[in-house]
Amino acid sequence: MTAIREDRVFTQTDFDRFAALSGDDNPIHVDPAFSAETRFGRTVAHGMLLYTALWGLVRRHFPGAVQETQDLMFPAPTYAGETMRLEVDLLDRPAPDRLDLAVRVVAAADGTVTLDGRTRVRLTGGEFR
C-alpha cells in the first residue's frame, strides 16, 4: 500500500469544539491564559482529536473499515496553527480482510512526532488488494 499522507492545521476552534463535544474541557486544551503558565506555554490538542482526524483519513481510504484495536502514544504536544502531517502506513496484513496500520501525526516544520501508534482494522467491503 502506498503511504497515506494528509496535511492539516488544527485550530483553537477545533480544540474548543472537541472539548464541547467530548466533555474534556481541561484548561490545557481550551484556556490560553492557563496554558501560557504551563510547560507547554500554550494550548495543546486533545490526543483523541488527533486520532479522530487519523481515523477519518483511514475511513476515507477504506470505507466501512471497523477498528478492532488501537495502541497510541503522545510523545509531544500538537499546537494550534501549526501544519501537521497525518500519516498512515501498512504494517501487516494478518488476514485477507485485516490490516495492521501504523498511524502518526508529525509536525511538518521539524518532524516531531506528536502521536505514534497502530491500529488493526477489519475491512467490511472485502479483501484489501
Side-chain angles (χ1 to χ4, degrees):
M1 174 179 101
T2 303
I4 301 168
R5 303 287 186 261
E6 179 177 286
D7 285 354
R8 176 149 180 194
V9 177
F10 294 93
T11 66
Q12 185 62 52
T13 300
D14 293 329
F15 298 176
D16 296 343
R17 288 180 176 164
F18 191 82
L21 181 64
S22 68
D24 181 357
D25 61 357
N26 184 317
I28 195 68
H29 304 303
V30 297
D31 185 338
F34 171 86
S35 299
E37 301 299 319
T38 70
R39 66 185 174 107
F40 300 115
R42 51 191 163 146
T43 57
V44 299
H46 301 76
M48 292 313 293
L49 169 61
L50 302 176
Y51 185 68
T52 300
L54 280 165
W55 183 243
L57 184 61
V58 169
R59 289 290 302 259
R60 285 191 298 282
H61 284 74
F62 303 106
V66 175
Q67 179 175 275
E68 293 188 337
T69 65
Q70 72 176 18
D71 181 22
L72 307 172
M73 295 186 312
F74 304 94
T78 296
Y79 299 108
E82 295 183 351
T83 302
M84 305 303 292
R85 181 156 298 120
L86 308 179
E87 302 181 348
V88 178
D89 294 299
L90 179 64
L91 293 174
D92 192 19
R93 191 170 148 190
D97 65 342
R98 302 290 196 281
L99 302 176
D100 288 343
L101 304 172
V103 292
R104 281 176 304 285
V105 176
V106 180
D110 64 6
T112 298
V113 175
T114 65
L115 181 154
D116 190 27
R118 59 186 296 152
T119 185
R120 174 169 289 170
V121 299
R122 178 173 46 87
L123 304 175
T124 59
E127 291 186 19
F128 169 69
R129 298 182 198 281

